[in-house]
Amino acid sequence: MPLIGAPVLGPRLVGSERFVRFLESWFDEASEAWEPEARASFVSVLGQPERARATQRLYGTWWYRELDPLFAGRYAALRLDVPTLWLHGARDRAIRPELLRGWEGRARELTFELLPELGHFPFEEAPERVVPRIREFLGDR
């Protein structure tokens, strides 16, 4: 994240095929987890200068401005007031499932589902599993 959030390096980094392949392999232990079309979509969008810059700003803001306040407890009393579905890959190497303890009670209605065999990008890895679940959740509202 600090590299993606870096002002000069970040935009150059995120738009490359090599970087997207690195993300895929690092965040999901299974190589070639994404279909070629999904990978190409990421590369084509992130390769656009304005999108690469937006990505850099998003990560830069979080890493360089929000991380310290987060750890200092700035948001500890806040709760989501909308029904929330959290689908999380069990093989996510960046946000490992054991790091997720303590999120209970952070939303009025939180449905958390750990998705076996999926990594950091469940939607790209298995849209045929994720989309129906989202539709089911939204249809119940």
Side-chain angles (χ1 to χ4, degrees), residues 4 17 35 41-42 49-50 56 60-61 77 91 107 130 133:
I4 296 171
E17 168 78 22
E35 303 231 348
S41 175
F42 261 68
E50 65 277 6
Q56 177 271 315
T61 296
R91 291 191 333 208
V130 173
R133 185 60 193 104

Side-chain angles (χ1 to χ4, degrees), residues 101-114:
R101 292 186 201 107
W103 289 94
E104 303 83 3
R106 296 289 181 178
R108 179 172 50 87
E109 181 184 332
L110 174 64
T111 301
F112 176 83
E113 296 178 18
L114 197 58

Side-chain angles (χ1 to χ4, degrees), residues 54-69:
T55 300
Q56 177 271 315
R57 287 183 176 181
L58 174 70
Y59 280 87
T61 296
W62 188 86
W63 187 262
Y64 296 110
R65 286 199 299 204
E66 294 298 328
L67 190 61
D68 287 341

Side-chain angles (χ1 to χ4, degrees), residues 26 32-33 37 51 62 71 78 80 90 119 122 133 136:
W26 195 87
E32 303 296 320
E37 296 81 15
R51 308 280 174 134
W62 188 86
F71 285 131
L78 299 178
L80 287 171
R133 185 60 193 104
E136 177 185 332

Side-chain angles (χ1 to χ4, degrees), residues 30-45:
S31 62
E32 303 296 320
W34 296 354
E35 303 231 348
E37 296 81 15
R39 188 180 304 106
S41 175
F42 261 68
V43 172
S44 68
V45 169

Side-chain angles (χ1 to χ4, degrees), residues 68-133:
D68 287 341
L70 176 71
F71 285 131
R74 173 191 253 173
Y75 309 111
L78 299 178
R79 303 286 183 269
L80 287 171
D81 196 31
V82 297
T84 304
L85 173 64
W86 182 345
L87 302 175
H88 195 88
R91 291 191 333 208
D92 187 337
R93 293 173 64 192
I95 306 171
R96 296 182 311 275
E98 60 269 17
L99 297 175
L100 301 176
R101 292 186 201 107
W103 289 94
E104 303 83 3
R106 296 289 181 178
R108 179 172 50 87
E109 181 184 332
L110 174 64
T111 301
F112 176 83
E113 296 178 18
L114 197 58
L115 304 172
E117 302 172 6
L118 297 180
H120 190 69
F121 301 99
F123 186 82
E124 287 77 12
E125 296 170 43
E128 72 284 353
R129 289 174 53 196
V130 173
V131 171
R133 185 60 193 104

